[in-house]
Amino acid sequence: MNDPEKEKSIKEGILSQIKAGQAKMRPKWHFVLRAALFVVGVFTALVALIYVVSFIFFVLRQTGIWFVPVFGFQGIAVFLVSLPWLLIVLAVIFVVLLEVLIKQHSMAYSKPILYSLAIIVGLAGLTGFAISKAGMHEKFYEFAQLHKMPIADSIYQKYGFKAYKQVHPVIVQEITGQGLRVKNCRGEVLNITTSTETKLFPLEIRFGPKDRLVILGSRSNGDVAAIGIKKISGYPKAAEDCLFLPMKHK
Amino acid sequence: MPERDEEIASKVQRGDTESFGILVERYEPKLMRYARKFLSDTEDMKDVLQNVFLKVYSNIQSFDTKRKFSPWIYRIAHNEFVNTLKKRKNERLRIFDLDTFLPYQTSSETADGEANGKDLKSTLNDCLDQIDTKYREPLVLYYFEEMNYKEIAEVLHIPVSTVGVRMMRGKKILKEVYRKKYE
């Protein structure tokens, strides 16, 4: 049983500390400010996450990686190996940060982590995808080439202009007897040879000059034996003269 | 009719510091009991409890008077006890609990018969220090502090379904510990 004297002394000890000013009540504005900082923190982390996700989608389309899974197992393997893993890890870090932040709120901690994680990933994925289609990164890419973005231009140039050995985003120059003569955004001319096993998307496709394609196949000097060819359409206006914006060298 | 805790807290927020003494009187025995079950008897409970009440006073303006006061003060006590355990250095810091990740299909509260509850309470008293904090705490809050699962979830900042899972696992562990001790 508790000693009443001891109980009294705890209460009186606390009240005397309060009266002496040793124990202070934090003012309401402290908690309002904390809540505001929390909101700013969540918003910033969310915006950063959406930006990184949209940039990942941009990079995947810019380099042609986005289109290769349609070519089957080989395409999927190339896709997985070529993903921008550093950017993906960065996105995961932002997801974890957001999860840690929102778990402070009763709406989040009262539900299993899986639910809030699904909402964060879903929201970031959908919004990031929508933003990547809007042309923002293409504009930033142009600025990067003109060196108008001091910090970001090296990132855009590094990721947006990355060339892969087996993925070739190109524009058709002419149809030849063996296949196609195409040009990539480095200005290189490639000879594409097709066979009966080359997968075409859409099926029964007819190629013509200025068609934009993504080709899966190994390159040997200026020749590519096409495993798959996919025609691309519906790109933003900024990429009119080249599907994938040409790199202007310094 | 005695004033509700939430009304008293509201008075304290408006500057009536004497009213805080009423809250201390009401919660000191409960939190002392909770502290003794959560920590071991070797801890200086008075110091720990004083820190709890000082933190309650310091943060009283963050309390939403539209919510229940009890889970709020127990949450502060829980955090203080966890910090005390961390200082012991023999308690592992748990950043992420797997049982809060997935939803669980457990009933929100199991209907222990009154006799069952009394037996379990006495067993719990006997074997508390041999159960991991993770399972000890919900059992203590349920059987000694007579909180429901929703209130326990508020104190521990975990989903209600996780409370159910920890209660179920905690009882299983408790029975095993008791069996080993007395067989």
Side-chain angles (χ1 to χ4, degrees), chain A residues 2 7 10-11 14-15 17-19 23-26 28 31 109-115 117, chain B residues 12 17-18 25 28 46 53-54 57-62 96 100-103 154 157-159:
Chain A
N2 291 331
E7 280 184 31
I10 289 179
K11 173 190 164 183
I14 288 159
L15 287 178
Q17 281 194 58
I18 292 170
K19 278 175 188 150
K24 287 190 167 64
M25 190 189 297
R26 286 190 180 125
K28 197 144 184 102
F31 301 102
Y109 66 64
S110 62
K111 298 279 180 284
I113 292 173
L114 186 66
Y115 291 5
L117 208 58
Chain B
V12 176
T17 52
E18 285 298 326
E25 269 179 355
E28 195 194 311
K46 190 179 162 185
F53 283 114
L54 289 172
Y57 181 76
S58 166
N59 292 292
I60 196 82
Q61 291 289 357
S62 72
F96 174 69
T100 62
F101 189 81
L102 294 171
E154 274 286 328
H157 277 201
I158 55 176

mmCIF file of all heavy atoms in Angstrom, chain A residues 2 7 10-11 14-15 17-19 23-26 28 31 109-115 117, chain B residues 12 17-18 25 28 46 53-54 57-62 96 100-103 154 157-159:
data_model
loop_
_atom_site.group_PDB
_atom_site.id
_atom_site.type_symbol
_atom_site.label_atom_id
_atom_site.label_comp_id
_atom_site.label_asym_id
_atom_site.label_seq_id
_atom_site.Cartn_x
_atom_site.Cartn_y
_atom_site.Cartn_z
ATOM 1 N N ASN A 2 0.435 2.262 -0.639
ATOM 2 C CA ASN A 2 1.238 3.492 -0.707
ATOM 3 C C ASN A 2 1.187 4.258 0.590
ATOM 4 O O ASN A 2 0.155 4.301 1.262
ATOM 5 C CB ASN A 2 0.717 4.390 -1.830
ATOM 6 C CG ASN A 2 1.000 3.765 -3.194
ATOM 7 O OD1 ASN A 2 1.956 3.032 -3.339
ATOM 8 N ND2 ASN A 2 0.146 4.051 -4.151
ATOM 9 N N GLU A 7 3.055 9.962 -0.871
ATOM 10 C CA GLU A 7 2.224 10.448 -1.961
ATOM 11 C C GLU A 7 2.144 11.958 -1.900
ATOM 12 O O GLU A 7 2.283 12.628 -2.885
ATOM 13 C CB GLU A 7 0.825 9.872 -1.840
ATOM 14 C CG GLU A 7 0.707 8.454 -2.362
ATOM 15 C CD GLU A 7 -0.736 7.974 -2.310
ATOM 16 O OE1 GLU A 7 -1.636 8.807 -2.442
ATOM 17 O OE2 GLU A 7 -0.920 6.772 -2.127
ATOM 18 N N ILE A 10 5.231 13.815 -3.185
ATOM 19 C CA ILE A 10 5.417 13.864 -4.644
ATOM 20 C C ILE A 10 4.574 15.011 -5.204
ATOM 21 O O ILE A 10 5.062 15.845 -5.970
ATOM 22 C CB ILE A 10 5.033 12.519 -5.312
ATOM 23 C CG1 ILE A 10 6.069 11.448 -4.970
ATOM 24 C CG2 ILE A 10 4.916 12.686 -6.816
ATOM 25 C CD1 ILE A 10 5.783 10.071 -5.565
ATOM 26 N N LYS A 11 3.320 15.064 -4.781
ATOM 27 C CA LYS A 11 2.432 16.120 -5.266
ATOM 28 C C LYS A 11 2.961 17.485 -4.847
ATOM 29 O O LYS A 11 3.054 18.406 -5.666
ATOM 30 C CB LYS A 11 1.024 15.909 -4.691
ATOM 31 C CG LYS A 11 0.065 17.052 -5.001
ATOM 32 C CD LYS A 11 -1.206 16.911 -4.211
ATOM 33 C CE LYS A 11 -1.990 18.219 -4.212
ATOM 34 N NZ LYS A 11 -3.209 18.110 -3.380
ATOM 35 N N ILE A 14 6.107 18.547 -6.710
ATOM 36 C CA ILE A 14 5.846 19.014 -8.078
ATOM 37 C C ILE A 14 5.245 20.415 -8.049
ATOM 38 O O ILE A 14 5.668 21.303 -8.796
ATOM 39 C CB ILE A 14 4.927 18.023 -8.819
ATOM 40 C CG1 ILE A 14 5.721 16.756 -9.147
ATOM 41 C CG2 ILE A 14 4.364 18.613 -10.104
ATOM 42 C CD1 ILE A 14 4.898 15.544 -9.397
ATOM 43 N N LEU A 15 4.260 20.629 -7.158
ATOM 44 C CA LEU A 15 3.613 21.943 -7.087
ATOM 45 C C LEU A 15 4.601 23.030 -6.653
ATOM 46 O O LEU A 15 4.549 24.160 -7.154
ATOM 47 C CB LEU A 15 2.412 21.898 -6.135
ATOM 48 C CG LEU A 15 1.173 21.159 -6.657
ATOM 49 C CD1 LEU A 15 0.059 21.125 -5.616
ATOM 50 C CD2 LEU A 15 0.653 21.789 -7.951
ATOM 51 N N GLN A 17 7.785 22.992 -7.277
ATOM 52 C CA GLN A 17 8.659 23.259 -8.437
ATOM 53 C C GLN A 17 7.952 24.172 -9.434
ATOM 54 O O GLN A 17 8.569 25.050 -10.046
ATOM 55 C CB GLN A 17 9.038 21.946 -9.140
ATOM 56 C CG GLN A 17 10.148 21.185 -8.439
ATOM 57 C CD GLN A 17 10.739 20.095 -9.315
ATOM 58 O OE1 GLN A 17 11.231 20.350 -10.401
ATOM 59 N NE2 GLN A 17 10.688 18.871 -8.820
ATOM 60 N N ILE A 18 6.667 23.951 -9.586
ATOM 61 C CA ILE A 18 5.886 24.793 -10.512
ATOM 62 C C ILE A 18 5.852 26.223 -9.987
ATOM 63 O O ILE A 18 6.102 27.182 -10.724
ATOM 64 C CB ILE A 18 4.447 24.236 -10.692
ATOM 65 C CG1 ILE A 18 4.476 22.900 -11.445
ATOM 66 C CG2 ILE A 18 3.568 25.237 -11.439
ATOM 67 C CD1 ILE A 18 3.159 22.153 -11.458
ATOM 68 N N LYS A 19 5.577 26.356 -8.673
ATOM 69 C CA LYS A 19 5.485 27.703 -8.075
ATOM 70 C C LYS A 19 6.825 28.423 -8.141
ATOM 71 O O LYS A 19 6.883 29.630 -8.345
ATOM 72 C CB LYS A 19 5.014 27.617 -6.623
ATOM 73 C CG LYS A 19 3.513 27.478 -6.503
ATOM 74 C CD LYS A 19 3.046 27.279 -5.071
ATOM 75 C CE LYS A 19 1.550 26.962 -5.083
ATOM 76 N NZ LYS A 19 1.142 26.113 -3.972
ATOM 77 N N ALA A 23 9.578 24.287 -12.952
ATOM 78 C CA ALA A 23 8.819 23.525 -13.945
ATOM 79 C C ALA A 23 7.977 24.518 -14.718
ATOM 80 O O ALA A 23 7.192 25.262 -14.133
ATOM 81 C CB ALA A 23 7.923 22.503 -13.252
ATOM 82 N N LYS A 24 8.194 24.533 -16.027
ATOM 83 C CA LYS A 24 7.476 25.520 -16.842
ATOM 84 C C LYS A 24 6.564 24.821 -17.848
ATOM 85 O O LYS A 24 6.905 23.782 -18.401
ATOM 86 C CB LYS A 24 8.487 26.398 -17.582
ATOM 87 C CG LYS A 24 9.199 27.395 -16.683
ATOM 88 C CD LYS A 24 10.006 28.386 -17.514
ATOM 89 C CE LYS A 24 10.460 29.566 -16.694
ATOM 90 N NZ LYS A 24 11.402 29.240 -15.608
ATOM 91 N N MET A 25 5.434 25.457 -18.056
ATOM 92 C CA MET A 25 4.486 24.950 -19.049
ATOM 93 C C MET A 25 4.895 25.516 -20.398
ATOM 94 O O MET A 25 5.033 26.734 -20.539
ATOM 95 C CB MET A 25 3.076 25.447 -18.678
ATOM 96 C CG MET A 25 1.973 24.796 -19.492
ATOM 97 S SD MET A 25 0.370 25.557 -19.221
ATOM 98 C CE MET A 25 0.072 25.231 -17.505
ATOM 99 N N ARG A 26 5.096 24.632 -21.354
ATOM 100 C CA ARG A 26 5.423 25.124 -22.707
ATOM 101 C C ARG A 26 4.192 25.830 -23.267
ATOM 102 O O ARG A 26 3.078 25.301 -23.180
ATOM 103 C CB ARG A 26 5.812 23.973 -23.623
ATOM 104 C CG ARG A 26 7.187 23.417 -23.328
ATOM 105 C CD ARG A 26 7.618 22.460 -24.404
ATOM 106 N NE ARG A 26 8.935 21.926 -24.101
ATOM 107 C CZ ARG A 26 9.235 20.646 -24.012
ATOM 108 N NH1 ARG A 26 8.301 19.736 -24.233
ATOM 109 N NH2 ARG A 26 10.446 20.248 -23.726
ATOM 110 N N LYS A 28 1.369 27.395 -25.853
ATOM 111 C CA LYS A 28 0.631 26.763 -26.945
ATOM 112 C C LYS A 28 1.336 26.968 -28.292
ATOM 113 O O LYS A 28 1.338 26.067 -29.131
ATOM 114 C CB LYS A 28 -0.784 27.340 -27.016
ATOM 115 C CG LYS A 28 -1.710 26.471 -27.834
ATOM 116 C CD LYS A 28 -3.116 26.439 -27.272
ATOM 117 C CE LYS A 28 -3.984 25.494 -28.068
ATOM 118 N NZ LYS A 28 -4.203 24.230 -27.434
ATOM 119 N N PHE A 31 3.661 24.286 -29.530
ATOM 120 C CA PHE A 31 3.086 23.087 -30.145
ATOM 121 C C PHE A 31 2.498 23.401 -31.518
ATOM 122 O O PHE A 31 2.518 22.546 -32.415
ATOM 123 C CB PHE A 31 2.032 22.474 -29.217
ATOM 124 C CG PHE A 31 2.605 22.091 -27.886
ATOM 125 C CD1 PHE A 31 2.408 22.896 -26.766
ATOM 126 C CD2 PHE A 31 3.381 20.949 -27.755
ATOM 127 C CE1 PHE A 31 2.972 22.557 -25.547
ATOM 128 C CE2 PHE A 31 3.949 20.608 -26.539
ATOM 129 C CZ PHE A 31 3.750 21.414 -25.432
ATOM 130 N N TYR A 109 -0.499 5.845 -36.888
ATOM 131 C CA TYR A 109 -0.011 4.781 -36.019
ATOM 132 C C TYR A 109 -1.115 3.822 -35.589
ATOM 133 O O TYR A 109 -0.844 2.724 -35.124
ATOM 134 C CB TYR A 109 0.763 5.317 -34.806
ATOM 135 C CG TYR A 109 0.004 6.119 -33.770
ATOM 136 C CD1 TYR A 109 -1.021 5.557 -33.008
ATOM 137 C CD2 TYR A 109 0.343 7.438 -33.530
ATOM 138 C CE1 TYR A 109 -1.697 6.295 -32.059
ATOM 139 C CE2 TYR A 109 -0.320 8.189 -32.573
ATOM 140 C CZ TYR A 109 -1.342 7.610 -31.844
ATOM 141 O OH TYR A 109 -2.004 8.354 -30.901
ATOM 142 N N SER A 110 -2.370 4.253 -35.756
ATOM 143 C CA SER A 110 -3.461 3.355 -35.372
ATOM 144 C C SER A 110 -3.747 2.307 -36.450
ATOM 145 O O SER A 110 -4.592 1.441 -36.263
ATOM 146 C CB SER A 110 -4.723 4.167 -35.100
ATOM 147 O OG SER A 110 -5.112 4.839 -36.263
ATOM 148 N N LYS A 111 -3.051 2.405 -37.566
ATOM 149 C CA LYS A 111 -3.235 1.416 -38.636
ATOM 150 C C LYS A 111 -1.902 0.706 -38.872
ATOM 151 O O LYS A 111 -0.853 1.262 -38.617
ATOM 152 C CB LYS A 111 -3.659 2.127 -39.947
ATOM 153 C CG LYS A 111 -4.975 2.860 -39.859
ATOM 154 C CD LYS A 111 -6.156 1.920 -40.020
ATOM 155 C CE LYS A 111 -7.485 2.629 -39.938
ATOM 156 N NZ LYS A 111 -7.870 3.004 -38.584
ATOM 157 N N PRO A 112 -1.967 -0.538 -39.381
ATOM 158 C CA PRO A 112 -0.700 -1.227 -39.694
ATOM 159 C C PRO A 112 0.139 -0.425 -40.676
ATOM 160 O O PRO A 112 -0.397 0.285 -41.530
ATOM 161 C CB PRO A 112 -1.171 -2.542 -40.329
ATOM 162 C CG PRO A 112 -2.540 -2.753 -39.797
ATOM 163 C CD PRO A 112 -3.127 -1.385 -39.646
ATOM 164 N N ILE A 113 1.452 -0.560 -40.540
ATOM 165 C CA ILE A 113 2.402 0.195 -41.371
ATOM 166 C C ILE A 113 2.143 -0.042 -42.857
ATOM 167 O O ILE A 113 2.303 0.870 -43.685
ATOM 168 C CB ILE A 113 3.849 -0.185 -41.009
ATOM 169 C CG1 ILE A 113 4.182 0.308 -39.599
ATOM 170 C CG2 ILE A 113 4.850 0.391 -41.996
ATOM 171 C CD1 ILE A 113 5.519 -0.154 -39.087
ATOM 172 N N LEU A 114 1.709 -1.255 -43.189
ATOM 173 C CA LEU A 114 1.466 -1.607 -44.589
ATOM 174 C C LEU A 114 0.502 -0.629 -45.262
ATOM 175 O O LEU A 114 0.669 -0.261 -46.431
ATOM 176 C CB LEU A 114 0.891 -3.023 -44.672
ATOM 177 C CG LEU A 114 0.715 -3.605 -46.056
ATOM 178 C CD1 LEU A 114 2.052 -3.818 -46.741
ATOM 179 C CD2 LEU A 114 -0.041 -4.923 -46.004
ATOM 180 N N TYR A 115 -0.506 -0.183 -44.537
ATOM 181 C CA TYR A 115 -1.526 0.705 -45.108
ATOM 182 C C TYR A 115 -0.914 2.051 -45.475
ATOM 183 O O TYR A 115 -1.098 2.553 -46.583
ATOM 184 C CB TYR A 115 -2.682 0.922 -44.119
ATOM 185 C CG TYR A 115 -3.557 -0.287 -43.855
ATOM 186 C CD1 TYR A 115 -3.265 -1.531 -44.380
ATOM 187 C CD2 TYR A 115 -4.694 -0.169 -43.050
ATOM 188 C CE1 TYR A 115 -4.057 -2.630 -44.118
ATOM 189 C CE2 TYR A 115 -5.504 -1.269 -42.784
ATOM 190 C CZ TYR A 115 -5.182 -2.495 -43.317
ATOM 191 O OH TYR A 115 -5.966 -3.587 -43.037
ATOM 192 N N LEU A 117 2.188 2.768 -45.853
ATOM 193 C CA LEU A 117 3.230 2.549 -46.860
ATOM 194 C C LEU A 117 2.612 2.463 -48.253
ATOM 195 O O LEU A 117 3.112 3.059 -49.217
ATOM 196 C CB LEU A 117 3.945 1.235 -46.536
ATOM 197 C CG LEU A 117 5.398 1.082 -46.961
ATOM 198 C CD1 LEU A 117 6.258 2.166 -46.358
ATOM 199 C CD2 LEU A 117 5.917 -0.273 -46.519
ATOM 200 N N VAL B 12 -5.968 23.706 -16.032
ATOM 201 C CA VAL B 12 -4.504 23.864 -15.927
ATOM 202 C C VAL B 12 -3.985 24.618 -17.144
ATOM 203 O O VAL B 12 -3.120 25.488 -17.025
ATOM 204 C CB VAL B 12 -3.805 22.491 -15.797
ATOM 205 C CG1 VAL B 12 -2.289 22.635 -15.778
ATOM 206 C CG2 VAL B 12 -4.275 21.757 -14.551
ATOM 207 N N THR B 17 -2.739 26.385 -11.900
ATOM 208 C CA THR B 17 -1.721 25.366 -11.613
ATOM 209 C C THR B 17 -2.090 24.520 -10.393
ATOM 210 O O THR B 17 -1.661 23.377 -10.282
ATOM 211 C CB THR B 17 -0.342 26.002 -11.397
ATOM 212 O OG1 THR B 17 -0.451 27.042 -10.423
ATOM 213 C CG2 THR B 17 0.197 26.591 -12.685
ATOM 214 N N GLU B 18 -2.900 25.068 -9.493
ATOM 215 C CA GLU B 18 -3.317 24.300 -8.303
ATOM 216 C C GLU B 18 -4.120 23.075 -8.718
ATOM 217 O O GLU B 18 -4.027 22.016 -8.099
ATOM 218 C CB GLU B 18 -4.170 25.171 -7.370
ATOM 219 C CG GLU B 18 -3.374 26.195 -6.560
ATOM 220 C CD GLU B 18 -2.370 25.557 -5.610
ATOM 221 O OE1 GLU B 18 -2.648 24.461 -5.066
ATOM 222 O OE2 GLU B 18 -1.274 26.142 -5.427
ATOM 223 N N GLU B 25 -2.731 13.826 -7.749
ATOM 224 C CA GLU B 25 -3.334 12.963 -6.713
ATOM 225 C C GLU B 25 -4.039 11.760 -7.335
ATOM 226 O O GLU B 25 -3.958 10.639 -6.843
ATOM 227 C CB GLU B 25 -4.379 13.770 -5.937
ATOM 228 C CG GLU B 25 -3.818 14.467 -4.724
ATOM 229 C CD GLU B 25 -4.895 15.268 -3.994
ATOM 230 O OE1 GLU B 25 -6.041 15.346 -4.492
ATOM 231 O OE2 GLU B 25 -4.561 15.821 -2.941
ATOM 232 N N GLU B 28 -1.155 9.522 -9.456
ATOM 233 C CA GLU B 28 0.071 9.027 -8.832
ATOM 234 C C GLU B 28 -0.017 7.550 -8.447
ATOM 235 O O GLU B 28 0.882 6.772 -8.789
ATOM 236 C CB GLU B 28 0.426 9.892 -7.631
ATOM 237 C CG GLU B 28 1.855 9.648 -7.181
ATOM 238 C CD GLU B 28 2.109 10.232 -5.831
ATOM 239 O OE1 GLU B 28 1.759 11.410 -5.616
ATOM 240 O OE2 GLU B 28 2.637 9.495 -4.981
ATOM 241 N N LYS B 46 9.988 7.036 -7.308
ATOM 242 C CA LYS B 46 9.585 8.407 -6.992
ATOM 243 C C LYS B 46 10.184 9.383 -8.005
ATOM 244 O O LYS B 46 9.496 10.263 -8.525
ATOM 245 C CB LYS B 46 10.038 8.754 -5.575
ATOM 246 C CG LYS B 46 9.473 10.065 -5.063
ATOM 247 C CD LYS B 46 9.942 10.340 -3.649
ATOM 248 C CE LYS B 46 9.758 11.820 -3.324
ATOM 249 N NZ LYS B 46 10.312 12.170 -2.015
ATOM 250 N N PHE B 53 5.343 13.461 -14.169
ATOM 251 C CA PHE B 53 4.398 14.557 -13.904
ATOM 252 C C PHE B 53 4.946 15.905 -14.367
ATOM 253 O O PHE B 53 4.190 16.767 -14.833
ATOM 254 C CB PHE B 53 4.022 14.604 -12.420
ATOM 255 C CG PHE B 53 3.038 13.544 -12.032
ATOM 256 C CD1 PHE B 53 3.391 12.530 -11.160
ATOM 257 C CD2 PHE B 53 1.760 13.533 -12.570
ATOM 258 C CE1 PHE B 53 2.483 11.536 -10.815
ATOM 259 C CE2 PHE B 53 0.845 12.545 -12.236
ATOM 260 C CZ PHE B 53 1.207 11.538 -11.360
ATOM 261 N N LEU B 54 6.237 16.086 -14.258
ATOM 262 C CA LEU B 54 6.831 17.342 -14.747
ATOM 263 C C LEU B 54 6.679 17.449 -16.258
ATOM 264 O O LEU B 54 6.400 18.529 -16.799
ATOM 265 C CB LEU B 54 8.306 17.426 -14.342
ATOM 266 C CG LEU B 54 8.551 17.668 -12.846
ATOM 267 C CD1 LEU B 54 10.028 17.537 -12.500
ATOM 268 C CD2 LEU B 54 8.045 19.046 -12.410
ATOM 269 N N TYR B 57 3.078 18.305 -17.030
ATOM 270 C CA TYR B 57 2.836 19.735 -16.823
ATOM 271 C C TYR B 57 3.446 20.555 -17.961
ATOM 272 O O TYR B 57 2.810 21.462 -18.503
ATOM 273 C CB TYR B 57 3.415 20.186 -15.481
ATOM 274 C CG TYR B 57 3.168 21.658 -15.204
ATOM 275 C CD1 TYR B 57 1.899 22.103 -14.813
ATOM 276 C CD2 TYR B 57 4.184 22.604 -15.368
ATOM 277 C CE1 TYR B 57 1.665 23.441 -14.585
ATOM 278 C CE2 TYR B 57 3.947 23.943 -15.143
ATOM 279 C CZ TYR B 57 2.691 24.357 -14.748
ATOM 280 O OH TYR B 57 2.446 25.693 -14.534
ATOM 281 N N SER B 58 4.659 20.219 -18.298
ATOM 282 C CA SER B 58 5.380 20.961 -19.341
ATOM 283 C C SER B 58 4.643 20.903 -20.678
ATOM 284 O O SER B 58 4.615 21.871 -21.441
ATOM 285 C CB SER B 58 6.791 20.367 -19.449
ATOM 286 O OG SER B 58 7.424 20.792 -20.596
ATOM 287 N N ASN B 59 4.011 19.749 -20.970
ATOM 288 C CA ASN B 59 3.375 19.559 -22.276
ATOM 289 C C ASN B 59 1.849 19.635 -22.241
ATOM 290 O O ASN B 59 1.201 19.264 -23.220
ATOM 291 C CB ASN B 59 3.784 18.196 -22.845
ATOM 292 C CG ASN B 59 5.249 18.165 -23.210
ATOM 293 O OD1 ASN B 59 5.693 18.831 -24.139
ATOM 294 N ND2 ASN B 59 6.032 17.409 -22.449
ATOM 295 N N ILE B 60 1.297 20.118 -21.137
ATOM 296 C CA ILE B 60 -0.158 20.119 -20.973
ATOM 297 C C ILE B 60 -0.865 20.887 -22.077
ATOM 298 O O ILE B 60 -2.000 20.565 -22.443
ATOM 299 C CB ILE B 60 -0.563 20.624 -19.564
ATOM 300 C CG1 ILE B 60 -2.037 20.259 -19.247
ATOM 301 C CG2 ILE B 60 -0.391 22.134 -19.440
ATOM 302 C CD1 ILE B 60 -2.218 18.884 -18.757
ATOM 303 N N GLN B 61 -0.212 21.902 -22.652
ATOM 304 C CA GLN B 61 -0.860 22.682 -23.705
ATOM 305 C C GLN B 61 -1.031 21.874 -24.996
ATOM 306 O O GLN B 61 -1.785 22.265 -25.883
ATOM 307 C CB GLN B 61 -0.057 23.958 -24.013
ATOM 308 C CG GLN B 61 -0.070 24.991 -22.899
ATOM 309 C CD GLN B 61 -1.409 25.695 -22.727
ATOM 310 O OE1 GLN B 61 -2.364 25.464 -23.476
ATOM 311 N NE2 GLN B 61 -1.493 26.539 -21.716
ATOM 312 N N SER B 62 -0.333 20.754 -25.106
ATOM 313 C CA SER B 62 -0.481 19.928 -26.311
ATOM 314 C C SER B 62 -1.632 18.936 -26.167
ATOM 315 O O SER B 62 -1.980 18.251 -27.122
ATOM 316 C CB SER B 62 0.814 19.162 -26.595
ATOM 317 O OG SER B 62 1.001 18.124 -25.659
ATOM 318 N N PHE B 96 11.766 -0.780 -35.084
ATOM 319 C CA PHE B 96 10.696 -1.230 -35.954
ATOM 320 C C PHE B 96 10.202 -2.581 -35.479
ATOM 321 O O PHE B 96 10.980 -3.498 -35.300
ATOM 322 C CB PHE B 96 11.244 -1.315 -37.388
ATOM 323 C CG PHE B 96 10.294 -1.909 -38.366
ATOM 324 C CD1 PHE B 96 9.161 -1.227 -38.736
ATOM 325 C CD2 PHE B 96 10.537 -3.156 -38.903
ATOM 326 C CE1 PHE B 96 8.264 -1.778 -39.648
ATOM 327 C CE2 PHE B 96 9.646 -3.717 -39.808
ATOM 328 C CZ PHE B 96 8.514 -3.028 -40.185
ATOM 329 N N THR B 100 3.662 -4.594 -36.137
ATOM 330 C CA THR B 100 2.873 -3.401 -36.469
ATOM 331 C C THR B 100 2.798 -3.210 -37.980
ATOM 332 O O THR B 100 2.173 -2.269 -38.462
ATOM 333 C CB THR B 100 3.477 -2.122 -35.851
ATOM 334 O OG1 THR B 100 4.785 -1.938 -36.390
ATOM 335 C CG2 THR B 100 3.544 -2.196 -34.345
ATOM 336 N N PHE B 101 3.431 -4.130 -38.743
ATOM 337 C CA PHE B 101 3.514 -3.931 -40.185
ATOM 338 C C PHE B 101 2.247 -4.403 -40.892
ATOM 339 O O PHE B 101 1.690 -3.716 -41.745
ATOM 340 C CB PHE B 101 4.736 -4.677 -40.737
ATOM 341 C CG PHE B 101 5.028 -4.356 -42.164
ATOM 342 C CD1 PHE B 101 5.724 -3.208 -42.502
ATOM 343 C CD2 PHE B 101 4.593 -5.176 -43.180
ATOM 344 C CE1 PHE B 101 5.985 -2.895 -43.830
ATOM 345 C CE2 PHE B 101 4.851 -4.873 -44.512
ATOM 346 C CZ PHE B 101 5.546 -3.736 -44.834
ATOM 347 N N LEU B 102 1.797 -5.631 -40.511
ATOM 348 C CA LEU B 102 0.660 -6.213 -41.218
ATOM 349 C C LEU B 102 -0.622 -6.094 -40.404
ATOM 350 O O LEU B 102 -0.579 -6.051 -39.180
ATOM 351 C CB LEU B 102 0.932 -7.700 -41.476
ATOM 352 C CG LEU B 102 2.085 -8.023 -42.421
ATOM 353 C CD1 LEU B 102 2.370 -9.513 -42.408
ATOM 354 C CD2 LEU B 102 1.756 -7.577 -43.840
ATOM 355 N N PRO B 103 -1.762 -6.068 -41.086
ATOM 356 C CA PRO B 103 -3.021 -6.126 -40.335
ATOM 357 C C PRO B 103 -3.255 -7.556 -39.847
ATOM 358 O O PRO B 103 -2.875 -8.515 -40.522
ATOM 359 C CB PRO B 103 -4.067 -5.733 -41.381
ATOM 360 C CG PRO B 103 -3.453 -6.048 -42.691
ATOM 361 C CD PRO B 103 -1.975 -6.011 -42.541
ATOM 362 N N GLU B 154 -3.645 3.558 -27.972
ATOM 363 C CA GLU B 154 -3.321 4.996 -27.867
ATOM 364 C C GLU B 154 -2.054 5.214 -27.053
ATOM 365 O O GLU B 154 -1.243 6.066 -27.379
ATOM 366 C CB GLU B 154 -4.464 5.731 -27.143
ATOM 367 C CG GLU B 154 -5.600 6.174 -28.026
ATOM 368 C CD GLU B 154 -5.234 7.364 -28.890
ATOM 369 O OE1 GLU B 154 -4.438 8.211 -28.482
ATOM 370 O OE2 GLU B 154 -5.750 7.402 -30.026
ATOM 371 N N HIS B 157 0.881 3.669 -29.106
ATOM 372 C CA HIS B 157 0.994 4.150 -30.502
ATOM 373 C C HIS B 157 1.163 2.982 -31.469
ATOM 374 O O HIS B 157 2.060 2.970 -32.332
ATOM 375 C CB HIS B 157 2.163 5.149 -30.657
ATOM 376 C CG HIS B 157 1.794 6.544 -30.268
ATOM 377 N ND1 HIS B 157 2.492 7.655 -30.695
ATOM 378 C CD2 HIS B 157 0.810 7.021 -29.495
ATOM 379 C CE1 HIS B 157 1.945 8.743 -30.185
ATOM 380 N NE2 HIS B 157 0.920 8.378 -29.448
ATOM 381 N N ILE B 158 0.296 1.996 -31.305
ATOM 382 C CA ILE B 158 0.296 0.856 -32.223
ATOM 383 C C ILE B 158 -1.155 0.580 -32.632
ATOM 384 O O ILE B 158 -2.071 1.041 -31.973
ATOM 385 C CB ILE B 158 0.914 -0.412 -31.574
ATOM 386 C CG1 ILE B 158 0.201 -0.748 -30.249
ATOM 387 C CG2 ILE B 158 2.418 -0.257 -31.362
ATOM 388 C CD1 ILE B 158 0.677 -2.034 -29.603
ATOM 389 N N PRO B 159 -1.350 -0.165 -33.725
ATOM 390 C CA PRO B 159 -2.723 -0.502 -34.121
ATOM 391 C C PRO B 159 -3.420 -1.395 -33.079
ATOM 392 O O PRO B 159 -2.743 -2.143 -32.359
ATOM 393 C CB PRO B 159 -2.534 -1.262 -35.438
ATOM 394 C CG PRO B 159 -1.167 -0.910 -35.920
ATOM 395 C CD PRO B 159 -0.351 -0.642 -34.709
#
